[in-house]
Amino acid sequence: MPDFTDNLQPASPGGPEILAQERSQSNVPVQELAQHLFPSDGFLGRQQRILEVLEQHPLFSKARQLNLSRPERYQLGLARAKMLRRLADQHGWDAEEQSMSQYLCDDVSPYMVHYTMFPTTVREQGDEKQRAYWMPKIEAGEVVGCYAQTELGHGSNVRGLECQARWDPKTQEFELHSPTLTASKWWNGTMGRTANHAIVVAQLLVPKSTDSSEYANHGPHPFIVQIRDLKTHKQLDGIAVGDIGPKYGYAPMDNGYMLFNHFRIPHSAMLSNYSRVDPNTCTYSKPANPAVVYGSLTAVRASIIMHARLVMARAVTIAVRYTSVRRQFQDRDSNDKSAPELSVLDYPTVQIRILPLLATAFALHYTGAAMQTLYENTRAQIDKGDFSKLAVLHAQSSGLKSLCTELAANSIETCRRAMGGHGFGGGSGFIQLNNDYLSKPTVEGDNWMITQQTASYLIKRMSSAVARKGSPQDEVEQACREWLKNEHDSGVPPLSIFDSDEHLVQAFHMRSRDLTYRAYVEREVKKRSWNSLLIQLRKVSHAESQSILVTNFHNALKATNSRLSPSLKGHLQTVFRLFAYYTMDAEARDFVKANAVSDDDLDLLPEKIQELMAQIRPHAVNLVDSWMIPDYLLDSALGRSDGKVYEDLFNRAHRLNPLNDVTFNPYYKSDEIVMGQGSDELKKIMAKL
Amino acid sequence: MPDFTDNLKPASPSGPELLAQERRQSDVAVEELSHHLFLDNDFLGRQQRILRILEKDALFTKAKQLNLSRPERYQLGLARAKKLRRLADQHAWDAEDQSMSQYLCDDVSPYMVHYTMFPTTVREQGDDAQRAYWLPKIEAGEVVGCYAQTELGHGSNVRGLECEARWDPKTREFELHSPTLTASKWWNGTMGRTANHCVVVAQLLVPNSAGSTEYVSHGPHPFIVQIRDFKTHKPLDGIAVGDIGPKYGYAPMDNGYMLFDHFRIPHSAMLSNYSRVDPNTCTYSSPANPAVVYGSLTAVRAAIIMHARLVMARAVTIAVRYTSVRRQFSDRDSQSNAPELSVLDYPTVQIRILPLLATAFALHYTGAAMQKLYEGTRAEIDKGDFSKLAVLHAQSSGLKSLCTELAADSIETCRRAMGGHGFGGGSGFIQLNNDYLSKPTVEGDNWMITQQTASYLIRRMAAAVTSKGTPDDELERECRKWLNEEHDRNVSPLLIFDSDEQLVQAFHRRSRESTYRAYVEREVKKRSWNSLLIQLRKVSHAESQSILVTNFYNALQDSSLSTALRRHLQVLFRLFAFYTMDREARDFVKANAVSNEDLDQLPSTIQDLMAQTRPHAVNLVDSWKIPDFLLDSALGRSDGKVYEDLFNRAHRLNPLNDITFNPYYKSDEIIMGQGSDELRKIAAKL
């Protein structure tokens, strides 16, 4: 409906003008940097290709989806998931193209587990016959599967699961049973409404001998189980399964619960690539090497880091563009009363929240990439059953998952607040991003739990280094030995972090070694209890993870020496130093105590950080442009690449908001809610409570 | 529908057993402590009274509300707001009863601004005739009002507002006009769909003289304006007004936008208690004292702190109860058959939750002290003497910034400490978090307003350095004392572990030092203001932390506390102080307030204090008396039936489970047996 607002323009300078100015003032070559970040694996081409398909399809329009209820979001999510799968068939999309389509659609797909953990488990844990039977049905979408491990009462402690699979030698069946309410499967994605099959992880109970009534518990094992009828999609008798209800995010995903009431499944349901129960003798045989699953877990964690960096890049892209366009207050010290207002990104109090995160996105990128390369290089050994190199990689990956998802999750809220009031609105593009991503710190290994794995590994290596028997077992032990010999208690002067980037990196190494050594003394020498050290152990893990992030960032700039243009390399070095100094400043006392950095140098950090931010400020828009996050994915008025912030905010409010189609009755004495409709609406709403 | 799950129980020990054990093992006197916390205004009696009414009214059931869409939440919010107002009439609730009913209902009411900023502004800014005309209509709910200051393009910088009110001496009207899109009013609560009137803040433009075509801008002024028709509730011609759409939280609130197209309003629309335009001469007269509005702002900020402490207490109540009930892993150093530990027994869980429990108390004592101070200076303010208010106002900016930051962060910290279940709707955190996240950026952006505190502190320090005559206020006196006795002298670091006085003193010393360094940069080295902003925020936070620690310490000197309770509160005081100190330890060394060796001891001291607090944690949160109705949390239920409630919400209350879907990708059908109808309905909403 046309009205007088149609002709209004925002006050000048307009957003497009301002962003054009930002872009022209910087010599950061956006295309070169984008090619550097997304080199040869075709990411950008794929993104462009899939984007064109989705953007022209009304089902993938995001304009009003924040107005849908959670039940509607599941329905929309299912409709989109089906459509994406049909598009994949139609366009012949490969696995990477399919996951790109999900990334751009930005719904957590109700099919997610059907595409990931479900087939992966069948492939890795199923024997040849099971794979041959199930994989084609899964691929065809006749079998829609999920993965049910976590229960209402147990998550991190997998050994504590209560669901039982009891082998009955008489009927040659397993009986799945949930003896308590806490035994209910819980949180399992794709299970609540979508799947007709599930991998159920249950305690395997086998009679001690064929005719014994005593059972031995062999711990948690995976079983593949049909849970719903293939025609009616109703749950099978003896199963109670459903969706657990609304959550912070993941609206389109049907995280589920499931209980079994003496539910019987055949012998072939137990996935038997490694462990098996002989149906005749009741003999249980188990895997030779329990490290067998570390491989795919490490790969998953490398991809979690690569995902975290894109999440940060997305948050920072929006924040940098909006705070460049947004202006507020003239310079307080300026005498010119007609001076234009400053971009809020010109204020150091805005910079200190956004620019270190911009730097962190790069830090995560280089470490995620390094982890993937390392994993691929050790892949051959892993496939041969040699897990020696994997152990370090796995230990590192726990700490990195913890630190990187924490950094990414916090970055969203930090950027939101830096954007002031408009950050709270739907036009920020942060609501779904935040609500979905906030799951990461507590899933796939709780961030505060899994740092124990990293710390435990580091302490073991430090113990060996102190004992000093034979040659070092791995690189970490080698480094510990060198630190003990050359740096520990040896009265070396602190490093010159401002003179040399190598020294800066070295300072992070020294601080990590020092913290590991202190924890080693507490645990191994003073014999303190493990639980009393947990807070300290987390610091040990984070110190090592930070050291890895700084090292990989530094190495990446050295390694690409020949390929990066000198000007781009200069910019990335500034970004590197900002990340390193900012990280150091937040934990400064550690570095003094490790004798890595002098107190005087630490005093200078805030000023150095402010200088680096001032250097980066003019290039901030080009630096975020280089991440090439499409407007379609951003779905943000504030972060639009064309800078039309206010036009878009107004459009969403005035033209796209369904609430404005309704006129209400505001008078409290009347029960009527919608003007002229009597009390009908009230009754409808009441029925939903 | 009965099924086999009806008879299932959670694994033992059960939640009720565990909480009973927690409550037995503690000698914290819950009733005494809650009486100590809520001695004013019969808060607890009121809470109980209103609760009984709301709990039995079906409209206030929260069980399924997370499943409603945002448009439905507004409708529900409006229905509830009307009902609360009718209940107020029926039960003759006073203002405090009414705000208790809104607090317990936990909806941000679409009437909110109609009850607060709108009548406050009419009362304070309107002249006698305007008050007499408007207030009865407002009270009767015929006039439903909102307050429109913030615009699309300007929030913090009020002088930059673009909306204009131009006086036309010929027609004797003001013309309201929005010259640009960014001049649109934006964010203003109650405006989007609910209000029929509005206080509009606009740049007042008045002709130089009655016959002149040149206009002078006198800055932003408030006008009371009808915006919608009384009968049809449609916007009046020349006005475009609506709701801005979904936000993080505040779903039931219709934050709005509004633009004017040469919209004319009478002379009487300008609220004229202080400023006025003479309609005949075009003469503008302005207020004598611009500090006139600081009073209510300071009161609002004290209320913000008191609210922040209840938000923290609510988050911590849920987290403490759930992590007491939740068990995971047996002790790694013990035999394999040992029972699993409560997750609250892990120091990594304690370090996230227990310092926040202590912080809720810290906020409480400072909020209460601020309210008392404000009431104490009220008489002077009413007489036009604002001298004491200046300190109070400066402090209140920094405290608003720090306290709302602490409270907002506490929700997410507690949520993560609860692990996976924290992410679910049964946590009771979703709406709390989504609503509260607005606080760090509204009513003064948290990173902006610390400048006011720092600026004031630097001025007092500058005056203390000059040391002319007697000090202006207490703050200057303290600065002088610090300059004379502590600054640059070889005073020894304070003995923070030996004496709580010295612990408090350490915070003072660190704040003075931090102010002094900023003073040197700004006043001596003449550095630019903007280059110091990060440092100025630290100055403000250091002072606010010092105030929090001081008020907490002073409150414990209250002789009415029993010895046992005082001891528990002392542990919390130390936990708050040491935890705060540990996070900014280098500051305290640089201020020569605490020795490096003592700072090294902080982590183990904090861990000791947490171990002392741990057995009393459930009783300590119980003392805040947050009702289950408000918590709306399976995890935080006072009876400990965590798993039963989670399961009930999923299996019996989740509307999604009433529907069977078609999961096969080749079919367009979404709901089994319904063809492609549903898909079309959903697609129509996109």
Side-chain angles (χ1 to χ4, degrees):
Chain A
M1 213 167 55
D3 61 32
F4 71 87
T5 65
D6 294 345
N7 303 315
L8 290 174
Q9 301 298 323
S12 66
E17 221 181 304
I18 293 171
L19 286 192
Q21 161 64 20
E22 293 279 350
R23 287 172 177 136
S24 65
Q25 82 191 358
S26 165
N27 66 354
V28 166
V30 171
Q31 290 306 327
E32 185 194 343
L33 182 48
Q35 291 304 322
H36 166 73
L37 289 169
F38 305 102
S40 50
D41 64 351
F43 183 93
L44 293 175
R46 187 157 53 237
Q47 176 169 286
Q48 198 45 44
R49 226 168 33 245
I50 310 285
L51 191 60
E52 275 155 30
V53 177
L54 298 194
E55 271 184 329
Q56 57 182 234
H57 207 302
L59 189 59
F60 298 103
S61 161
K62 300 172 185 174
R64 295 180 179 197
Q65 72 184 21
L66 279 175
N67 289 294
L68 297 189
S69 70
R70 197 264 155 168
E72 289 171 334
R73 281 306 300 275
Y74 170 74
Q75 300 196 25
L76 175 62
L78 183 59
R80 284 175 170 173
K82 290 182 177 200
M83 181 60 79
L84 286 181
R85 181 57 210 273
R86 293 205 295 271
L87 287 170
D89 285 359
Q90 186 187 327
H91 295 278
W93 286 344
D94 63 19
E96 297 220 48
E97 284 166 324
Q98 286 195 53
S99 69
M100 174 61 78
S101 74
Q102 286 161 32
Y103 165 71
L104 292 172
C105 168
D106 206 27
D107 266 5
V108 179
S109 166
Y111 284 161
M112 185 177 79
V113 186
H114 171 71
Y115 288 143
T116 52
M117 199 63 180
F118 178 67
T120 303
T121 309
V122 173
R123 208 177 297 116
E124 292 188 354
Q125 307 282 318
D127 61 23
E128 273 179 51
K129 228 173 108 187
Q130 289 169 324
R131 282 193 292 256
Y133 180 79
W134 292 107
M135 293 310 294
K137 292 180 200 293
I138 296 169
E139 180 48 38
E142 293 161 33
V143 163
V144 183
C146 60
Y147 180 86
Q149 175 173 307
T150 298
E151 296 177 356
L152 186 51
H154 286 87
S156 293
N157 182 11
V158 180
R159 306 202 145 270
L161 293 178
E162 294 181 76
C163 182
Q164 300 170 348
R166 193 180 294 267
W167 175 244
D168 180 347
K170 290 202 194 79
T171 64
Q172 303 258 306
E173 289 169 322
F174 292 101
E175 188 182 275
L176 282 179
H177 187 59
S178 314
T180 64
L181 201 61
T182 38
S184 178
K185 294 297 167 187
W186 203 269
W187 276 119
N188 327 97
T190 306
M191 190 170 83
R193 303 273 82 197
T194 315
N196 52 27
H197 283 69
I199 305 278
V200 177
V201 179
Q203 300 283 357
L204 173 62
L205 300 173
V206 182
K208 293 207 158 143
S209 65
T210 340
D211 46 7
S212 165
S213 59
E214 270 181 78
Y215 287 80
N217 184 350
H218 296 290
H221 283 73
F223 299 82
I224 185 164
V225 183
Q226 182 178 344
I227 59 170
R228 287 187 174 95
D229 185 84
L230 297 187
K231 278 263 176 306
T232 65
H233 203 58
K234 296 277 188 193
Q235 64 204 25
L236 301 185
D237 277 353
I239 294 180
V241 58
D243 175 276
I244 61 168
K247 301 142 291 192
Y248 264 69
Y250 275 44
M253 170 57 94
D254 54 325
N255 296 89
Y257 65 90
M258 180 161 60
L259 289 138
F260 298 97
N261 187 24
H262 303 288
F263 185 81
R264 295 192 160 247
I265 53 175
H267 180 263
S268 60
M270 180 170 160
L271 293 178
S272 302
N273 197 24
Y274 299 106
S275 312
R276 40 198 345 157
V277 172
D278 185 308
N280 301 314
T281 63
C282 291
T283 321
Y284 169 75
S285 55
K286 62 166 188 258
N289 193 330
V292 82
V293 295
Y294 284 2
S296 57
L297 191 56
T298 306
V300 165
R301 286 189 174 154
S303 72
I304 286 177
I305 298 169
M306 290 307 257
H307 176 239
R309 106 227 199 257
L310 284 180
V311 165
M312 284 189 93
R314 182 168 159 189
V316 169
T317 297
I318 295 170
V320 162
R321 288 183 185 153
Y322 173 63
T323 56
S324 301
V325 171
R326 178 75 172 178
R327 308 196 151 215
Q328 205 79 183
F329 291 111
Q330 298 150 327
D331 187 343
R332 180 168 163 152
D333 289 332
S334 154
N335 293 320
D336 177 7
K337 288 298 162 219
S338 63
E341 294 184 288
L342 294 173
S343 278
V344 301
L345 189 55
D346 291 335
Y347 294 102
T349 30
V350 173
Q351 293 174 0
I352 193 74
R353 291 181 278 171
I354 298 173
L355 298 183
L357 297 178
L358 171 58
T360 307
F362 284 90
L364 264 52
H365 170 77
Y366 293 116
T367 283
M371 293 266 298
Q372 281 185 336
T373 309
L374 265 175
Y375 175 69
E376 279 154 26
N377 292 346
T378 49
R379 187 81 195 233
Q381 293 166 268
I382 295 166
D383 288 346
K384 278 183 223 140
D386 171 6
F387 298 99
S388 57
K389 286 217 177 145
L390 192 61
V392 195
L393 202 57
H394 176 69
Q396 291 182 341
S397 78
S398 302
L400 283 168
K401 185 269 171 185
S402 172
L403 180 63
C404 296
T405 58
E406 206 81 6
L407 288 169
N410 295 344
S411 76
I412 302 169
E413 178 61 7
T414 302
C415 284
R416 183 191 73 80
R417 291 191 200 169
M419 298 192 300
H422 288 314
F424 192 70
S428 66
F430 271 47
I431 295 183
Q432 183 170 318
L433 177 68
N434 189 51
N435 286 341
D436 287 351
Y437 199 79
L438 283 187
S439 61
K440 296 293 179 215
T442 54
V443 298
E444 328 244 12
D446 180 274
N447 277 359
W448 282 69
M449 284 288 315
I450 58 174
T451 49
Q452 291 181 61
Q453 298 165 12
T454 307
S456 166
Y457 188 85
L458 290 169
I459 291 173
K460 264 183 265 160
R461 303 270 50 82
M462 183 58 84
S463 295
S464 307
V466 172
R468 228 189 147 69
K469 285 194 188 126
S471 56
Q473 201 186 305
D474 60 19
E475 248 176 80
V476 175
E477 187 181 335
Q478 174 71 32
C480 288
R481 286 196 189 186
E482 277 165 26
W483 176 81
L484 284 166
K485 195 171 140 212
N486 301 327
E487 296 172 303
H488 173 54
D489 271 353
S490 64
V492 287
L495 296 154
S496 314
I497 55 167
F498 300 125
D499 298 346
S500 133
D501 287 347
E502 279 77 16
H503 277 206
L504 182 55
V505 173
Q506 181 63 16
F508 277 88
H509 290 195
M510 278 181 76
R511 174 248 193 168
S512 175
R513 296 292 154 254
D514 184 62
L515 281 178
T516 298
Y517 184 79
R518 286 168 193 261
Y520 150 80
V521 169
E522 296 296 322
R523 177 67 179 168
E524 299 297 330
V525 183
K526 299 192 192 161
K527 303 288 180 198
R528 294 231 351 237
S529 80
W530 184 258
N531 282 348
S532 73
L533 294 172
L534 287 178
I535 297 172
Q536 193 177 341
L537 295 175
R538 179 168 181 270
K539 289 183 181 159
V540 167
S541 170
H542 275 2
E544 178 70 4
S545 300
Q546 288 168 342
S547 168
I548 293 170
L549 287 172
V550 168
T551 306
N552 284 327
F553 202 155
H554 180 67
N555 289 347
L557 297 188
K558 270 201 318 200
T560 50
N561 212 354
S562 51
R563 275 183 288 142
L564 282 173
S565 66
S567 123
L568 182 52
K569 193 175 168 205
H571 288 299
L572 288 176
Q573 252 158 0
T574 308
V575 172
F576 161 73
R577 283 176 202 144
L578 177 59
F579 173 72
Y581 292 159
Y582 182 81
T583 305
M584 183 178 278
D585 187 44
E587 336 232 1
R589 290 189 86 237
D590 277 4
F591 289 86
V592 188
K593 294 159 93 43
N595 201 28
V597 184
S598 74
D599 219 52
D600 293 343
D601 277 1
L602 290 172
D603 284 348
L604 292 174
L605 281 178
E607 209 180 305
K608 294 275 183 196
I609 290 167
Q610 204 160 322
E611 282 167 20
L612 290 168
M613 293 195 303
Q615 285 174 43
I616 291 170
R617 165 65 189 91
H619 308 286
V621 168
N622 276 13
L623 285 168
V624 300
D625 281 355
S626 307
W627 286 93
M628 297 281 173
I629 317 263
D631 279 347
Y632 174 76
L633 180 61
L634 293 179
D635 186 29
S636 166
L638 307 189
R640 289 171 68 101
S641 58
D642 65 6
K644 292 190 172 172
V645 170
Y646 297 118
E647 295 90 326
D648 193 350
L649 281 174
F650 187 72
N651 189 47
R652 286 168 190 248
H654 192 52
R655 299 185 192 102
L656 296 177
N657 182 3
L659 198 64
N660 292 330
D661 300 339
V662 188
T663 303
F664 296 93
N665 176 335
Y667 303 108
Y668 81 87
K669 285 170 185 160
S670 163
D671 240 353
E672 182 176 82
I673 300 300
V674 175
M675 196 58 111
Q677 306 256 303
S679 49
D680 269 14
E681 279 304 308
L682 179 58
K683 263 176 245 146
K684 270 191 242 165
I685 295 273
M686 289 283 290
K688 294 191 178 183
L689 287 182
Chain B
M1 212 168 55
D3 61 31
F4 72 86
T5 65
D6 294 345
N7 303 316
L8 289 174
K9 301 263 177 287
S12 64
S14 71
E17 263 173 84
L18 290 166
L19 285 192
Q21 162 62 20
E22 293 280 348
R23 286 172 177 137
R24 255 197 322 272
Q25 82 191 359
S26 166
D27 67 344
V28 166
V30 171
E31 292 308 316
E32 184 193 349
L33 181 49
S34 60
H35 181 72
H36 164 74
L37 288 170
F38 301 105
L39 37 98
D40 293 333
N41 285 330
D42 189 31
F43 183 92
L44 293 176
R46 192 187 332 273
Q47 176 169 283
Q48 198 46 42
R49 212 158 16 88
I50 311 282
L51 189 61
R52 261 186 248 126
I53 294 166
L54 299 194
E55 272 182 330
K56 59 185 200 210
D57 192 320
L59 188 59
F60 299 101
T61 306
K62 300 173 187 177
K64 295 185 180 184
Q65 75 183 21
L66 280 175
N67 288 294
L68 297 188
S69 70
R70 197 264 153 165
E72 288 170 334
R73 280 306 299 276
Y74 170 74
Q75 300 200 20
L76 175 63
L78 183 59
R80 284 174 170 172
K82 290 183 176 200
K83 188 59 171 289
L84 286 181
R85 181 58 209 274
R86 292 205 297 271
L87 286 170
D89 284 359
Q90 187 186 328
H91 297 279
W93 286 343
D94 64 16
E96 299 221 42
D97 288 335
Q98 286 195 53
S99 68
M100 174 61 78
S101 74
Q102 285 161 33
Y103 166 70
L104 291 173
C105 168
D106 206 28
D107 266 4
V108 179
S109 167
Y111 283 162
M112 184 175 80
V113 186
H114 171 71
Y115 288 142
T116 53
M117 198 63 181
F118 178 66
T120 303
T121 308
V122 173
R123 207 175 295 117
E124 294 188 352
Q125 306 283 320
D127 61 24
D128 284 339
Q130 288 170 324
R131 279 194 291 255
Y133 180 81
W134 290 107
L135 287 172
K137 292 182 201 293
I138 294 170
E139 180 49 35
E142 291 161 35
V143 164
V144 183
C146 60
Y147 179 85
Q149 176 174 306
T150 298
E151 296 177 355
L152 185 52
H154 286 89
S156 293
N157 183 12
V158 181
R159 308 204 143 269
L161 294 178
E162 296 180 75
C163 183
E164 296 170 350
R166 193 179 295 265
W167 176 246
D168 180 346
K170 291 200 195 81
T171 64
R172 299 189 155 233
E173 289 168 322
F174 292 101
E175 187 181 275
L176 282 178
H177 186 60
S178 313
T180 64
L181 200 61
T182 38
S184 177
K185 294 297 168 188
W186 202 269
W187 275 118
N188 327 96
T190 307
M191 191 171 83
R193 303 273 82 198
T194 314
N196 53 27
H197 281 68
C198 181
V199 170
V200 177
V201 179
Q203 300 283 358
L204 172 63
L205 300 172
V206 182
N208 263 338
S209 65
S212 165
T213 57
E214 267 181 77
Y215 283 81
V216 185
S217 172
H218 294 289
H221 282 73
F223 300 81
I224 185 164
V225 184
Q226 182 176 348
I227 59 171
R228 287 187 174 94
D229 183 81
F230 278 110
K231 279 265 175 302
T232 65
H233 203 58
K234 297 277 188 192
L236 301 184
D237 278 353
I239 295 181
V241 58
D243 175 277
I244 61 168
K247 301 143 292 192
Y248 264 69
Y250 277 44
M253 170 57 93
D254 55 322
N255 296 88
Y257 66 90
M258 181 160 60
L259 290 138
F260 298 98
D261 185 22
H262 303 286
F263 186 79
R264 294 197 160 242
I265 54 176
H267 181 263
S268 62
M270 180 170 161
L271 293 177
S272 301
N273 196 27
Y274 299 106
S275 310
R276 36 197 348 152
V277 173
D278 186 301
N280 300 312
T281 62
C282 292
T283 320
Y284 168 78
S285 55
S286 63
N289 193 331
V292 82
V293 295
Y294 284 1
S296 57
L297 192 56
T298 305
V300 165
R301 284 186 175 157
I304 287 177
I305 298 169
M306 290 306 256
H307 176 240
R309 111 242 198 242
L310 284 180
V311 166
M312 284 188 97
R314 182 168 161 189
V316 169
T317 296
I318 295 170
V320 162
R321 288 183 185 154
Y322 173 63
T323 56
S324 301
V325 171
R326 178 74 172 181
R327 316 207 133 205
Q328 206 78 182
F329 291 109
S330 37
D331 186 345
R332 180 167 163 152
D333 288 335
S334 84
Q335 266 78 2
S336 57
N337 278 340
E340 292 185 291
L341 295 171
S342 277
V343 300
L344 189 55
D345 292 334
Y346 293 102
T348 30
V349 173
Q350 292 174 2
I351 193 75
R352 290 181 279 172
I353 298 174
L354 298 182
L356 298 178
L357 171 58
T359 306
F361 284 88
L363 263 53
H364 170 77
Y365 292 117
T366 283
M370 293 266 300
Q371 280 186 336
K372 211 166 277 175
L373 266 175
Y374 174 69
E375 280 154 25
T377 52
R378 187 80 193 237
E380 294 167 67
I381 295 166
D382 288 346
K383 277 183 227 142
D385 171 4
F386 298 100
S387 59
K388 284 209 182 150
L389 193 61
V391 196
L392 204 56
H393 176 70
Q395 290 183 341
S396 78
S397 302
L399 283 168
K400 185 271 170 183
S401 172
L402 181 63
C403 295
T404 57
E405 205 83 6
L406 287 170
D409 294 344
S410 77
I411 302 169
E412 178 62 7
T413 301
C414 284
R415 183 191 73 79
R416 291 190 200 169
M418 298 193 299
H421 287 316
F423 192 69
S427 66
F429 272 47
I430 294 182
Q431 183 170 319
L432 176 68
N433 188 53
N434 287 341
D435 287 350
Y436 200 78
L437 284 187
S438 62
K439 296 294 179 217
T441 54
V442 299
E443 327 244 13
D445 181 275
N446 278 359
W447 283 68
M448 284 288 314
I449 59 175
T450 49
Q451 291 180 63
Q452 297 166 13
T453 307
S455 163
Y456 189 83
L457 289 168
I458 291 173
R459 260 181 285 148
R460 304 274 39 89
M461 183 59 82
V465 170
T466 326
S467 202
K468 281 195 193 131
T470 52
D472 245 14
D473 58 20
E474 223 179 292
L475 194 53
E476 187 182 335
R477 186 169 319 113
E478 279 204 45
C479 289
R480 288 197 191 183
K481 189 160 173 271
W482 175 82
L483 284 166
N484 289 330
E485 296 169 14
E486 296 176 285
H487 172 54
D488 271 353
R489 317 221 163 216
N490 282 328
V491 289
S492 357
L494 295 152
L495 303 173
I496 54 169
F497 299 121
D498 296 351
S499 134
D500 288 346
E501 284 83 358
Q502 301 214 23
L503 180 53
V504 172
Q505 181 62 19
F507 277 87
H508 290 202
R509 199 178 278 182
R510 175 255 195 158
S511 177
R512 295 294 152 257
E513 171 79 19
S514 166
T515 299
Y516 184 77
R517 284 172 190 246
Y519 151 78
V520 170
E521 295 296 322
R522 177 65 179 169
E523 299 298 329
V524 182
K525 298 194 192 160
K526 303 288 181 196
R527 289 209 22 213
S528 80
W529 185 256
N530 283 347
S531 74
L532 294 172
L533 286 177
I534 297 172
Q535 193 177 343
L536 296 175
R537 179 167 183 268
K538 290 182 182 161
V539 167
S540 170
H541 276 2
E543 178 68 4
S544 299
Q545 288 168 343
S546 169
I547 293 170
L548 287 171
V549 167
T550 306
N551 285 326
F552 201 156
Y553 173 76
N554 289 344
L556 297 190
Q557 312 315 306
D558 173 3
S559 54
S560 68
L561 284 170
S562 70
T563 322
L565 188 53
R566 185 194 319 258
R567 214 174 36 244
H568 287 298
L569 290 174
Q570 255 160 359
V571 172
L572 290 178
F573 160 73
R574 287 178 197 142
L575 178 56
F576 174 71
F578 289 143
Y579 181 79
T580 305
M581 184 179 278
D582 186 44
R583 311 232 302 184
E584 335 232 5
R586 290 188 86 238
D587 272 8
F588 288 85
V589 187
K590 302 200 156 298
N592 201 24
V594 184
S595 72
N596 248 310
E597 291 69 25
D598 278 359
L599 290 173
D600 286 346
Q601 294 304 313
L602 284 179
S604 69
T605 307
I606 290 166
Q607 205 161 320
D608 286 346
L609 290 166
M610 293 196 301
Q612 287 174 50
T613 306
R614 165 69 189 89
H616 308 288
V618 169
N619 277 12
L620 287 167
V621 299
D622 281 354
S623 307
W624 285 93
K625 298 276 181 190
I626 317 264
D628 281 347
F629 179 77
L630 181 60
L631 293 179
D632 186 29
S633 166
L635 307 189
R637 290 171 67 100
S638 58
D639 65 6
K641 291 188 173 170
V642 170
Y643 296 119
E644 294 91 327
D645 194 349
L646 281 174
F647 187 71
N648 189 46
R649 286 167 189 249
H651 191 52
R652 298 183 194 102
L653 297 177
N654 182 2
L656 198 64
N657 292 329
D658 300 338
I659 308 172
T660 303
F661 295 91
N662 176 336
Y664 303 108
Y665 81 87
K666 286 172 184 158
S667 162
D668 240 352
E669 183 177 81
I670 301 299
I671 296 181
M672 199 55 115
Q674 306 256 303
S676 48
D677 267 14
E678 279 304 309
L679 178 58
R680 252 174 268 142
K681 272 191 240 164
I682 295 276
K685 294 191 178 186
L686 288 181

